[in-house]
Coordinates of all heavy atoms in Angstrom, one line a residue:
M1 N 0.9 -1.2 0.0 CA 0.0 0.0 0.0 C 0.9 1.2 0.0 O 1.7 1.4 0.9 CB -0.9 0.0 1.2 CG -1.8 1.1 1.4 SD -3.1 0.9 2.6 CE -2.1 0.9 4.1
G2 N 0.8 2.0 -1.0 CA 1.6 3.2 -1.1 C 1.1 4.3 -0.2 O 0.0 4.3 0.3
D3 N 2.0 5.2 0.2 CA 1.7 6.2 1.2 C 0.5 7.1 0.7 O -0.3 7.5 1.5 CB 2.9 7.1 1.4 CG 4.0 6.4 2.2 OD1 3.7 5.5 2.9 OD2 5.2 6.8 2.0
S4 N 0.4 7.3 -0.6 CA -0.6 8.2 -1.1 C -1.8 7.5 -1.8 O -2.7 8.1 -2.3 CB 0.0 9.3 -2.0 OG 0.5 8.6 -3.1
E5 N -1.7 6.2 -1.8 CA -2.7 5.4 -2.5 C -3.5 4.6 -1.6 O -3.0 3.9 -0.7 CB -2.0 4.5 -3.5 CG -1.4 5.2 -4.7 CD -0.8 4.2 -5.7 OE1 -1.5 3.3 -6.0 OE2 0.3 4.5 -6.1
W6 N -4.8 4.7 -1.7 CA -5.7 3.9 -0.9 C -6.9 3.6 -1.8 O -7.5 4.5 -2.3 CB -6.1 4.6 0.4 CG -7.1 3.9 1.1 CD1 -8.5 4.2 1.2 CD2 -7.0 2.7 1.9 NE1 -9.1 3.3 2.0 CE2 -8.2 2.4 2.5 CE3 -5.9 1.9 2.2 CZ2 -8.4 1.3 3.3 CZ3 -6.1 0.8 3.1 CH2 -7.4 0.5 3.6
F7 N -7.3 2.4 -2.0 CA -8.4 2.0 -2.8 C -9.4 1.2 -1.9 O -9.0 0.3 -1.2 CB -8.0 1.2 -4.0 CG -9.2 0.7 -4.8 CD1 -9.8 1.6 -5.6 CD2 -9.7 -0.5 -4.7 CE1 -10.9 1.2 -6.3 CE2 -10.8 -1.0 -5.4 CZ -11.4 -0.1 -6.2
S8 N -10.6 1.7 -1.8 CA -11.6 1.0 -1.0 C -12.9 0.9 -1.8 O -13.3 1.9 -2.5 CB -11.8 1.7 0.3 OG -12.8 1.1 1.0
T9 N -13.5 -0.2 -1.8 CA -14.8 -0.4 -2.5 C -15.7 -1.3 -1.6 O -15.2 -2.2 -1.0 CB -14.6 -0.9 -3.9 OG1 -15.9 -0.9 -4.5 CG2 -14.1 -2.3 -3.9
R10 N -16.9 -0.9 -1.6 CA -17.9 -1.8 -0.9 C -18.8 -2.4 -1.9 O -19.4 -1.6 -2.7 CB -18.7 -0.9 0.1 CG -17.8 -0.5 1.3 CD -18.6 0.2 2.3 NE -19.3 -0.8 3.1 CZ -20.0 -0.5 4.2 NH1 -20.2 0.7 4.6 NH2 -20.6 -1.5 4.8
L11 N -18.9 -3.7 -1.9 CA -19.8 -4.4 -2.9 C -20.8 -5.0 -2.0 O -20.6 -6.0 -1.3 CB -19.0 -5.4 -3.7 CG -17.9 -4.9 -4.5 CD1 -17.1 -6.1 -5.2 CD2 -18.4 -4.0 -5.6
A12 N -22.0 -4.5 -2.0 CA -23.1 -5.0 -1.2 C -24.1 -5.7 -2.1 O -24.9 -5.0 -2.7 CB -23.7 -3.9 -0.4
H13 N -24.0 -7.0 -2.2 CA -25.0 -7.8 -3.0 C -25.2 -7.3 -4.4 O -26.3 -7.3 -4.9 CB -26.3 -7.8 -2.2 CG -26.2 -8.1 -0.8 ND1 -25.9 -9.3 -0.3 CD2 -26.3 -7.3 0.3 CE1 -25.8 -9.3 1.0 NE2 -26.1 -8.1 1.4
S14 N -24.1 -6.9 -5.0 CA -24.3 -6.3 -6.4 C -24.4 -7.4 -7.4 O -25.0 -7.2 -8.5 CB -23.1 -5.4 -6.7 OG -21.9 -6.2 -6.8
G15 N -23.9 -8.6 -7.1 CA -24.0 -9.7 -8.1 C -23.1 -9.5 -9.3 O -23.2 -10.2 -10.3
R16 N -22.3 -8.5 -9.3 CA -21.4 -8.3 -10.5 C -20.0 -8.7 -10.2 O -19.6 -8.8 -9.0 CB -21.4 -6.8 -10.9 CG -21.0 -5.9 -9.8 CD -21.1 -4.5 -10.1 NE -20.5 -3.7 -9.1 CZ -20.1 -2.5 -9.1 NH1 -20.4 -1.8 -10.2 NH2 -19.5 -1.9 -8.1
V17 N -19.2 -8.9 -11.2 CA -17.8 -9.3 -11.1 C -17.0 -8.0 -11.3 O -17.3 -7.2 -12.2 CB -17.5 -10.3 -12.2 CG1 -16.0 -10.6 -12.2 CG2 -18.3 -11.6 -12.0
L18 N -16.0 -7.9 -10.4 CA -15.2 -6.7 -10.5 C -13.7 -7.2 -10.6 O -13.3 -8.0 -9.8 CB -15.4 -5.9 -9.2 CG -14.6 -4.6 -9.1 CD1 -15.0 -3.6 -10.1 CD2 -14.8 -4.0 -7.7
D19 N -13.0 -6.7 -11.6 CA -11.6 -7.0 -11.8 C -10.8 -5.9 -11.2 O -11.0 -4.8 -11.6 CB -11.2 -7.2 -13.3 CG -11.9 -8.5 -13.9 OD1 -11.9 -9.5 -13.2 OD2 -12.3 -8.4 -15.1
L20 N -10.0 -6.2 -10.2 CA -9.1 -5.2 -9.6 C -7.7 -5.6 -9.9 O -7.3 -6.7 -9.6 CB -9.3 -5.2 -8.1 CG -10.7 -4.8 -7.6 CD1 -10.8 -5.0 -6.1 CD2 -11.0 -3.4 -8.0
P21 N -6.9 -4.7 -10.4 CA -5.5 -5.0 -10.5 C -4.8 -5.0 -9.1 O -5.1 -4.2 -8.3 CB -4.9 -3.8 -11.3 CG -5.9 -2.7 -11.0 CD -7.2 -3.3 -10.8
V22 N -4.0 -6.1 -8.9 CA -3.3 -6.2 -7.6 C -1.9 -6.4 -7.9 O -1.5 -7.0 -9.0 CB -3.9 -7.3 -6.7 CG1 -5.3 -7.0 -6.3 CG2 -3.8 -8.7 -7.4
F23 N -1.0 -6.0 -7.0 CA 0.4 -6.1 -7.2 C 1.0 -6.7 -5.9 O 0.4 -6.6 -4.8 CB 1.0 -4.7 -7.4 CG 0.4 -4.1 -8.6 CD1 -0.7 -3.2 -8.5 CD2 0.8 -4.4 -9.9 CE1 -1.3 -2.6 -9.6 CE2 0.2 -3.8 -11.0 CZ -0.8 -2.9 -10.9
P24 N 2.2 -7.3 -6.0 CA 2.9 -7.8 -4.8 C 2.9 -6.8 -3.7 O 3.3 -5.6 -4.0 CB 4.3 -8.2 -5.3 CG 4.1 -8.5 -6.8 CD 3.0 -7.5 -7.2
G25 N 2.6 -7.2 -2.5 CA 2.6 -6.3 -1.4 C 1.2 -5.7 -1.1 O 1.0 -5.2 0.0
D26 N 0.3 -5.7 -2.1 CA -1.0 -5.1 -1.8 C -1.8 -5.9 -0.7 O -1.6 -7.1 -0.6 CB -1.9 -5.2 -3.1 CG -1.5 -4.1 -4.1 OD1 -0.6 -3.3 -3.8 OD2 -2.1 -4.1 -5.2
L27 N -2.5 -5.2 0.0 CA -3.3 -5.7 1.1 C -4.8 -5.8 0.6 O -5.3 -4.8 0.2 CB -3.2 -4.8 2.3 CG -3.6 -5.4 3.7 CD1 -2.7 -6.5 4.1 CD2 -3.5 -4.3 4.7
L28 N -5.4 -7.0 0.7 CA -6.8 -7.2 0.4 C -7.5 -7.6 1.6 O -7.1 -8.5 2.4 CB -6.9 -8.4 -0.6 CG -6.2 -8.2 -2.0 CD1 -6.3 -9.5 -2.8 CD2 -6.6 -7.0 -2.7
I29 N -8.6 -6.9 1.9 CA -9.4 -7.1 3.1 C -10.8 -7.3 2.7 O -11.5 -6.4 2.1 CB -9.2 -5.9 4.1 CG1 -7.8 -5.6 4.4 CG2 -10.0 -6.1 5.4 CD1 -7.5 -4.4 5.1
L30 N -11.4 -8.4 3.1 CA -12.8 -8.7 3.0 C -13.4 -8.7 4.4 O -12.8 -9.3 5.3 CB -13.0 -10.1 2.4 CG -12.3 -10.4 1.0 CD1 -12.5 -11.8 0.6 CD2 -12.8 -9.4 0.0
Y31 N -14.5 -8.1 4.5 CA -15.2 -8.0 5.8 C -16.7 -7.8 5.7 O -17.2 -7.4 4.7 CB -14.6 -6.7 6.6 CG -14.8 -5.4 5.9 CD1 -15.9 -4.6 6.2 CD2 -14.0 -5.0 4.9 CE1 -16.1 -3.4 5.6 CE2 -14.2 -3.7 4.3 CZ -15.2 -3.0 4.6 OH -15.4 -1.8 4.0
S32 N -17.3 -8.3 6.8 CA -18.8 -8.2 6.8 C -19.2 -6.8 7.3 O -18.5 -6.1 7.9 CB -19.4 -9.3 7.7 OG -18.9 -9.0 9.1
D33 N -20.5 -6.5 7.0 CA -21.0 -5.2 7.3 C -21.2 -4.9 8.8 O -21.3 -3.8 9.3 CB -22.3 -4.9 6.6 CG -23.4 -5.8 7.0 OD1 -23.2 -6.8 7.7 OD2 -24.6 -5.6 6.6
G34 N -21.0 -6.0 9.6 CA -21.1 -5.9 11.0 C -20.0 -5.1 11.6 O -20.1 -4.5 12.8
I35 N -18.9 -4.9 10.9 CA -17.7 -4.1 11.4 C -18.0 -2.7 11.3 O -18.1 -2.0 12.3 CB -16.4 -4.6 10.8 CG1 -16.1 -6.0 11.3 CG2 -15.3 -3.6 11.1 CD1 -14.8 -6.6 10.7
P36 N -18.3 -2.1 10.1 CA -18.6 -0.7 10.1 C -19.9 -0.3 10.7 O -20.1 0.9 11.1 CB -18.5 -0.3 8.6 CG -18.8 -1.6 7.9 CD -18.2 -2.7 8.8
D37 N -20.8 -1.2 10.8 CA -22.1 -0.9 11.4 C -22.2 -1.0 12.9 O -23.2 -0.7 13.5 CB -23.2 -1.8 10.8 CG -23.4 -1.6 9.3 OD1 -23.0 -0.5 8.8 OD2 -24.1 -2.4 8.7
Q38 N -21.0 -1.4 13.6 CA -21.0 -1.6 15.0 C -21.3 -0.2 15.7 O -20.5 0.7 15.5 CB -19.7 -2.2 15.5 CG -19.5 -2.2 17.0 CD -20.5 -3.2 17.6 OE1 -20.6 -4.3 17.2 NE2 -21.2 -2.7 18.7
P39 N -22.3 -0.2 16.5 CA -22.5 1.1 17.3 C -21.6 1.2 18.5 O -21.2 0.2 19.1 CB -24.0 1.0 17.7 CG -24.4 -0.4 17.7 CD -23.4 -1.1 16.7
G40 N -21.3 2.4 18.8 CA -20.6 2.7 20.0 C -21.5 3.3 21.1 O -22.7 3.5 20.9
P41 N -21.0 3.5 22.3 CA -21.8 4.0 23.4 C -22.5 5.3 23.1 O -23.6 5.6 23.7 CB -20.8 4.1 24.6 CG -19.6 3.3 24.2 CD -19.6 3.3 22.7
D42 N -21.9 6.1 22.3 CA -22.6 7.4 22.0 C -23.6 7.4 20.8 O -24.1 8.4 20.4 CB -21.5 8.5 21.6 CG -20.7 8.2 20.4 OD1 -20.9 7.1 19.7 OD2 -19.9 9.0 20.0
G43 N -23.8 6.2 20.3 CA -24.8 6.0 19.2 C -24.2 6.1 17.8 O -24.9 5.8 16.9
S44 N -22.9 6.5 17.7 CA -22.3 6.6 16.4 C -21.9 5.2 16.0 O -21.8 4.3 16.8 CB -21.1 7.5 16.4 OG -20.1 6.9 17.2
T45 N -21.6 5.0 14.7 CA -21.1 3.7 14.2 C -19.7 3.7 14.0 O -19.1 4.8 13.7 CB -21.9 3.2 13.0 OG1 -21.7 4.2 11.9 CG2 -23.4 3.0 13.2
Y46 N -19.0 2.6 14.0 CA -17.6 2.5 13.7 C -17.3 3.1 12.4 O -16.3 3.9 12.3 CB -17.2 1.0 13.8 CG -15.7 0.8 13.8 CD1 -14.9 1.1 14.9 CD2 -15.0 0.3 12.7 CE1 -13.5 0.9 14.9 CE2 -13.7 0.1 12.6 CZ -12.9 0.4 13.8 OH -11.6 0.2 13.7
G47 N -18.0 2.8 11.4 CA -17.9 3.4 10.1 C -16.7 3.1 9.2 O -15.7 2.5 9.7
D48 N -16.8 3.6 8.0 CA -15.7 3.4 7.0 C -14.5 4.2 7.4 O -13.4 3.8 7.1 CB -16.2 3.7 5.6 CG -17.2 2.7 5.1 OD1 -17.2 1.5 5.5 OD2 -18.1 3.1 4.3
A49 N -14.7 5.4 7.9 CA -13.6 6.3 8.2 C -12.7 5.7 9.2 O -11.4 5.7 9.1 CB -14.1 7.7 8.6
Q50 N -13.3 5.2 10.3 CA -12.5 4.5 11.4 C -11.8 3.3 10.9 O -10.7 3.0 11.2 CB -13.4 4.3 12.6 CG -12.6 3.7 13.8 CD -11.6 4.6 14.4 OE1 -11.7 5.8 14.3 NE2 -10.6 4.1 15.0
F51 N -12.5 2.5 10.1 CA -12.0 1.3 9.5 C -10.8 1.6 8.7 O -9.7 1.0 8.8 CB -13.1 0.6 8.6 CG -12.6 -0.7 8.0 CD1 -12.9 -1.9 8.6 CD2 -12.0 -0.7 6.8 CE1 -12.5 -3.1 8.1 CE2 -11.6 -1.9 6.2 CZ -11.8 -3.1 6.8
T52 N -10.9 2.6 7.8 CA -9.8 3.0 6.9 C -8.6 3.5 7.7 O -7.5 3.2 7.4 CB -10.3 4.1 6.0 OG1 -11.4 3.6 5.2 CG2 -9.2 4.6 5.0
E53 N -8.9 4.3 8.8 CA -7.8 4.8 9.6 C -7.0 3.7 10.3 O -5.7 3.8 10.2 CB -8.3 5.8 10.6 CG -7.2 6.5 11.5 CD -6.2 7.2 10.6 OE1 -6.5 7.7 9.6 OE2 -5.0 7.2 11.1
I54 N -7.6 2.7 10.8 CA -6.8 1.7 11.5 C -6.1 0.9 10.4 O -4.9 0.4 10.7 CB -7.7 0.8 12.4 CG1 -6.9 -0.1 13.3 CG2 -8.6 -0.1 11.5 CD1 -6.2 0.7 14.4
I55 N -6.6 0.7 9.2 CA -5.8 0.0 8.2 C -4.6 0.9 7.7 O -3.6 0.3 7.5 CB -6.8 -0.4 7.0 CG1 -7.9 -1.3 7.4 CG2 -5.9 -1.0 5.9 CD1 -7.5 -2.5 8.2
R56 N -4.8 2.2 7.6 CA -3.7 3.0 7.3 C -2.6 2.9 8.3 O -1.4 2.9 8.0 CB -4.2 4.5 7.2 CG -4.9 4.9 6.0 CD -5.2 6.4 6.0 NE -6.1 6.8 5.0 CZ -5.8 7.1 3.8 NH1 -4.6 7.2 3.4 NH2 -6.8 7.5 2.9
Q57 N -3.0 2.8 9.6 CA -2.0 2.8 10.7 C -1.3 1.5 10.7 O -0.1 1.4 11.1 CB -2.7 3.0 12.0 CG -3.2 4.4 12.2 CD -4.0 4.5 13.5 OE1 -4.0 3.7 14.4 NE2 -4.7 5.6 13.6
T58 N -1.9 0.4 10.3 CA -1.3 -1.0 10.5 C -1.0 -1.7 9.2 O -0.5 -2.8 9.2 CB -2.3 -1.9 11.3 OG1 -3.5 -2.0 10.6 CG2 -2.5 -1.3 12.7
G59 N -1.3 -1.1 8.1 CA -1.2 -1.7 6.8 C 0.1 -2.3 6.4 O 0.2 -3.2 5.5
R60 N 1.2 -1.9 7.0 CA 2.5 -2.4 6.7 C 2.9 -3.6 7.6 O 3.9 -4.2 7.4 CB 3.5 -1.4 6.8 CG 3.3 -0.3 5.7 CD 4.4 0.8 5.8 NE 4.1 1.9 5.0 CZ 4.4 2.0 3.7 NH1 4.9 1.0 3.0 NH2 4.0 3.1 3.0
D61 N 2.0 -3.9 8.6 CA 2.3 -5.0 9.5 C 1.9 -6.3 8.9 O 1.4 -6.3 7.8 CB 1.4 -4.8 10.8 CG 1.9 -3.6 11.7 OD1 3.1 -3.2 11.5 OD2 1.1 -3.2 12.5
T62 N 2.1 -7.4 9.6 CA 1.7 -8.7 9.1 C 0.2 -8.7 9.0 O -0.5 -8.0 9.7 CB 2.1 -9.8 10.0 OG1 1.5 -9.7 11.3 CG2 3.6 -9.8 10.2
V63 N -0.4 -9.6 8.2 CA -1.8 -9.7 8.0 C -2.5 -10.1 9.3 O -3.6 -9.6 9.6 CB -2.2 -10.7 6.9 CG1 -1.8 -10.2 5.5 CG2 -1.7 -12.1 7.1
E64 N -1.8 -10.9 10.1 CA -2.3 -11.3 11.5 C -2.5 -10.1 12.3 O -3.5 -9.9 13.0 CB -1.5 -12.3 12.1 CG -1.5 -13.7 11.4 CD -0.4 -13.8 10.3 OE1 0.3 -12.8 10.1 OE2 -0.4 -14.8 9.7
R65 N -1.4 -9.2 12.3 CA -1.4 -8.0 13.2 C -2.5 -7.0 12.7 O -3.1 -6.3 13.5 CB -0.1 -7.4 13.2 CG 0.1 -6.5 14.4 CD 1.5 -6.1 14.6 NE 2.2 -7.2 15.2 CZ 3.5 -7.1 15.5 NH1 4.2 -6.0 15.2 NH2 4.1 -8.1 16.1
V66 N -2.6 -6.9 11.4 CA -3.7 -6.0 10.8 C -5.0 -6.4 11.3 O -5.8 -5.6 11.8 CB -3.6 -6.0 9.3 CG1 -4.8 -5.2 8.7 CG2 -2.3 -5.4 8.8
A67 N -5.4 -7.7 11.2 CA -6.7 -8.2 11.6 C -6.9 -8.1 13.1 O -7.9 -7.6 13.6 CB -6.8 -9.7 11.2
R68 N -5.8 -8.4 13.9 CA -6.0 -8.3 15.4 C -6.1 -6.8 15.8 O -6.9 -6.5 16.7 CB -4.8 -8.9 16.1 CG -4.7 -10.4 16.0 CD -3.5 -11.0 16.7 NE -3.3 -12.4 16.4 CZ -3.9 -13.4 17.1 NH1 -4.7 -13.1 18.1 NH2 -3.6 -14.6 16.7
S69 N -5.4 -5.9 15.1 CA -5.5 -4.5 15.5 C -6.9 -4.0 15.1 O -7.4 -3.2 15.9 CB -4.4 -3.7 14.7 OG -3.1 -4.1 15.1
L70 N -7.4 -4.4 14.0 CA -8.8 -3.9 13.6 C -9.8 -4.4 14.7 O -10.6 -3.6 15.1 CB -9.1 -4.5 12.3 CG -10.6 -4.2 11.8 CD1 -10.9 -2.8 11.7 CD2 -10.8 -5.0 10.5
L71 N -9.7 -5.7 15.0 CA -10.7 -6.2 16.0 C -10.5 -5.6 17.4 O -11.5 -5.4 18.1 CB -10.6 -7.7 16.0 CG -11.0 -8.4 14.7 CD1 -10.8 -9.9 14.8 CD2 -12.5 -8.1 14.3
A72 N -9.3 -5.3 17.8 CA -9.0 -4.7 19.1 C -9.6 -3.3 19.1 O -10.2 -2.8 20.0 CB -7.5 -4.7 19.4
D73 N -9.4 -2.5 17.9 CA -9.9 -1.2 17.8 C -11.4 -1.2 17.9 O -12.1 -0.3 18.5 CB -9.4 -0.5 16.6 CG -9.6 1.0 16.6 OD1 -9.2 1.7 17.5 OD2 -10.3 1.5 15.6
L74 N -12.0 -2.2 17.2 CA -13.5 -2.3 17.2 C -14.0 -2.6 18.6 O -15.0 -2.0 19.1 CB -13.9 -3.4 16.3 CG -15.4 -3.6 16.0 CD1 -16.0 -2.4 15.3 CD2 -15.6 -4.9 15.2
D75 N -13.3 -3.5 19.4 CA -13.7 -3.7 20.8 C -13.6 -2.5 21.6 O -14.4 -2.2 22.4 CB -12.8 -4.8 21.4 CG -13.2 -6.2 20.9 OD1 -14.3 -6.4 20.4 OD2 -12.4 -7.1 21.1
R76 N -12.5 -1.7 21.4 CA -12.3 -0.4 22.1 C -13.5 0.5 21.8 O -14.1 1.1 22.7 CB -11.0 0.2 21.8 CG -10.7 1.5 22.5 CD -9.8 2.4 21.7 NE -10.1 2.6 20.3 CZ -11.0 3.5 19.9 NH1 -11.8 4.1 20.7 NH2 -11.2 3.6 18.6
F77 N -13.8 0.6 20.5 CA -14.9 1.5 20.1 C -16.2 1.1 20.7 O -17.0 2.0 21.1 CB -14.9 1.5 18.6 CG -16.1 2.3 18.0 CD1 -16.0 3.7 17.9 CD2 -17.3 1.7 17.7 CE1 -17.0 4.4 17.4 CE2 -18.4 2.5 17.2 CZ -18.2 3.8 17.1
R78 N -16.5 -0.2 20.8 CA -17.7 -0.7 21.3 C -18.0 -0.3 22.7 O -19.1 -0.2 23.2 CB -17.7 -2.2 21.1 CG -19.0 -2.9 21.1 CD -19.0 -4.3 20.6 NE -18.1 -5.1 21.5 CZ -17.5 -6.2 21.1 NH1 -17.5 -6.6 19.9 NH2 -16.8 -6.9 22.0
G79 N -16.9 -0.1 23.5 CA -17.0 0.3 24.8 C -17.9 -0.5 25.8 O -18.6 0.1 26.6
G80 N -17.8 -1.8 25.7 CA -18.5 -2.7 26.5 C -19.9 -3.1 26.0 O -20.6 -3.9 26.6
L81 N -20.4 -2.4 24.9 CA -21.6 -2.9 24.3 C -21.5 -4.2 23.7 O -20.4 -4.6 23.3 CB -22.0 -1.9 23.2 CG -22.4 -0.5 23.6 CD1 -22.8 0.4 22.4 CD2 -23.6 -0.5 24.6
E82 N -22.6 -4.9 23.5 CA -22.5 -6.2 22.9 C -22.2 -6.1 21.4 O -22.5 -5.0 20.8 CB -23.9 -7.0 23.1 CG -24.1 -7.5 24.5 CD -25.3 -8.4 24.5 OE1 -25.6 -9.1 23.5 OE2 -25.9 -8.4 25.6
Q83 N -21.7 -7.2 20.8 CA -21.4 -7.2 19.4 C -22.8 -7.0 18.7 O -23.7 -7.7 19.0 CB -20.8 -8.5 19.0 CG -20.4 -8.6 17.6 CD -19.6 -9.8 17.3 OE1 -18.7 -10.2 18.0 NE2 -19.9 -10.5 16.2
Y84 N -22.9 -6.1 17.7 CA -24.1 -5.8 17.1 C -24.5 -6.8 16.1 O -25.7 -7.1 16.0 CB -23.9 -4.4 16.4 CG -25.0 -4.0 15.4 CD1 -26.2 -3.6 15.9 CD2 -24.8 -4.0 14.0 CE1 -27.2 -3.2 15.0 CE2 -25.8 -3.6 13.2 CZ -27.0 -3.2 13.7 OH -28.0 -2.9 12.8
D85 N -23.6 -7.4 15.3 CA -23.9 -8.2 14.2 C -22.7 -9.2 14.0 O -21.7 -9.1 14.7 CB -24.2 -7.4 13.0 CG -24.8 -8.1 11.8 OD1 -25.2 -9.3 11.9 OD2 -25.0 -7.5 10.7
D86 N -22.9 -10.1 13.0 CA -21.7 -10.9 12.7 C -20.5 -10.0 12.3 O -20.8 -8.9 11.7 CB -22.0 -11.9 11.6 CG -22.3 -11.2 10.3 OD1 -23.3 -10.5 10.2 OD2 -21.5 -11.4 9.4
Q87 N -19.3 -10.4 12.7 CA -18.2 -9.5 12.4 C -17.1 -10.5 11.9 O -16.5 -11.2 12.6 CB -17.7 -8.7 13.6 CG -18.7 -7.7 14.0 CD -18.4 -7.0 15.2 OE1 -17.6 -7.3 16.0 NE2 -19.1 -5.9 15.4
M88 N -16.8 -10.4 10.6 CA -15.9 -11.3 9.9 C -14.9 -10.4 9.2 O -15.3 -9.4 8.6 CB -16.6 -12.2 8.9 CG -15.7 -13.2 8.1 SD -14.8 -12.5 6.7 CE -16.0 -11.8 5.7
V89 N -13.6 -10.7 9.3 CA -12.6 -10.0 8.5 C -11.6 -11.1 8.0 O -11.2 -12.0 8.7 CB -11.9 -8.9 9.3 CG1 -11.1 -9.5 10.5 CG2 -11.0 -8.1 8.5
L90 N -11.2 -10.9 6.8 CA -10.2 -11.8 6.1 C -9.1 -10.8 5.5 O -9.5 -10.0 4.7 CB -10.8 -12.7 5.1 CG -9.8 -13.5 4.2 CD1 -9.1 -14.5 5.1 CD2 -10.6 -14.2 3.1
V91 N -7.9 -10.9 6.0 CA -6.8 -10.0 5.5 C -5.8 -10.9 4.8 O -5.3 -11.9 5.3 CB -6.2 -9.3 6.7 CG1 -5.1 -8.4 6.2 CG2 -7.2 -8.5 7.5
M92 N -5.5 -10.4 3.6 CA -4.5 -11.2 2.7 C -3.6 -10.2 2.1 O -3.9 -9.0 1.8 CB -5.3 -11.8 1.5 CG -6.3 -12.8 2.0 SD -7.4 -13.3 0.6 CE -8.5 -11.9 0.5
R93 N -2.3 -10.6 1.9 CA -1.3 -9.8 1.2 C -0.9 -10.5 -0.1 O -0.6 -11.7 0.0 CB -0.1 -9.6 2.1 CG 0.9 -8.6 1.5 CD 1.9 -8.0 2.4 NE 1.5 -7.6 3.7 CZ 1.0 -6.4 4.0 NH1 0.8 -5.5 3.0 NH2 0.7 -6.1 5.2
V94 N -0.9 -9.8 -1.1 CA -0.5 -10.4 -2.5 C 0.9 -10.7 -2.5 O 1.8 -9.8 -2.1 CB -0.9 -9.5 -3.6 CG1 -0.5 -10.0 -4.9 CG2 -2.4 -9.2 -3.6
K95 N 1.3 -11.9 -2.9 CA 2.8 -12.2 -3.1 C 3.2 -12.1 -4.5 O 2.4 -12.2 -5.4 CB 3.0 -13.6 -2.6 CG 2.9 -13.8 -1.1 CD 3.4 -15.1 -0.7 CE 3.5 -15.1 0.8 NZ 4.4 -16.1 1.3

């Protein structure tokens, strides 16, 4: 992931095929909507901006560390509230 490059797309039940160019070192992240939709104690949701920020901060780490950091940040954001929905994340790095 380059310093100035960030590509994010959300495909919600579109049923279409999307070809994305990938290069060695690129990070691919698949996740369920339960992550950005998780509410916090103040009623706000985790959202795409927070998701993107934690990936920017950890994107050069191992895929395991990226996933663990995301889930830890989500737990912190949740502030003791129950998990809202299913929360799945799959982090891969292109070789």
Side-chain angles (χ1 to χ4, degrees):
M1 179 169 66
D3 291 336
S4 62
E5 292 183 41
W6 175 257
F7 177 77
S8 176
T9 187
R10 292 185 78 173
L11 300 176
H13 311 289
S14 67
R16 59 185 188 164
V17 175
L18 180 66
D19 291 322
L20 298 174
V22 294
F23 302 96
D26 283 355
L27 198 62
L28 302 176
I29 304 172
L30 305 176
Y31 59 95
S32 64
D33 63 350
I35 292 177
D37 292 348
Q38 174 64 52
D42 65 356
S44 66
T45 58
Y46 190 72
D48 292 331
Q50 182 65 25
F51 182 93
T52 300
E53 183 55 31
I54 197 68
I55 299 305
R56 282 184 193 270
Q57 292 174 15
T58 63
R60 296 183 189 275
D61 291 340
T62 65
V63 294
E64 293 87 0
R65 198 168 283 180
V66 171
R68 288 180 194 271
S69 296
L70 172 64
L71 295 175
D73 192 56
L74 187 64
D75 283 343
R76 179 205 52 78
F77 176 83
R78 201 168 61 209
L81 293 179
E82 288 192 28
Q83 183 174 315
Y84 170 72
D85 194 5
D86 66 294
Q87 295 176 344
M88 180 281 306
V89 63
L90 174 63
V91 181
M92 302 168 279
R93 188 167 313 276
V94 177
K95 288 192 172 203

